[in-house]
């Protein structure tokens, strides 16, 4: 997973299995919009369409693990991740 902070810092987070976890760390938290990109392989196998990508010799296969991709953004305000429904104007 790759995270881009509002001030331009880019962080890469990985996990050998399961979901990588991004944590906001106390004093380094910048309010604003964070963008993320998540790339992974699922446990589901799919047919290899392009034979160039099937390996060589005894390692050649006709299937591979199905790739997964997701991107998006989330908002941080006052040091915590918020959802749009939680955004309220201060009265004073």
């Amino acid at each position: 997973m790759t995270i881009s902070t509002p001030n331009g810092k880019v962080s890469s987070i990985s996990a050998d299995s399961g979901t990588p976890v991004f944590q906001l760390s106390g004093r380094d938290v910048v309010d604003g919009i964070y963008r993320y990109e998540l790339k992974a392989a699922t446990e589901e196998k799919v047919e290899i369409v392009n034979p160039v990508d099937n390996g060589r010799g005894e390692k050649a296969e006709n299937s591979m693990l199905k790739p997964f991709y997701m991107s998006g953004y989330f908002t941080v305000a006052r040091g915590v991740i918020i959802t749009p429904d939680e955004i309220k104007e201060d009265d004073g």
Side-chain angles (χ1 to χ4, degrees), residues 1 4 20 22 28 31-32 39 43 52-53 57 61 76 81:
M1 176 167 47
S4 176
F22 172 72
D28 296 334
D31 285 353
K39 297 177 187 177
E43 293 180 358
V52 171
D53 295 334
E61 293 188 24
V76 173
I81 298 172

Side-chain angles (χ1 to χ4, degrees), residues 2-5 7-12:
T2 303
I3 305 281
S4 176
T5 66
N7 63 357
K9 181 180 176 187
V10 177
S11 301
S12 293

Side-chain angles (χ1 to χ4, degrees), residues 44-49 53 61-67:
E44 181 182 347
K45 290 207 170 202
V46 294
E47 179 184 357
I48 295 175
V49 178
D53 295 334
E61 293 188 24
N62 62 357
S63 66
M64 65 180 197
L65 295 176
K66 182 178 181 179

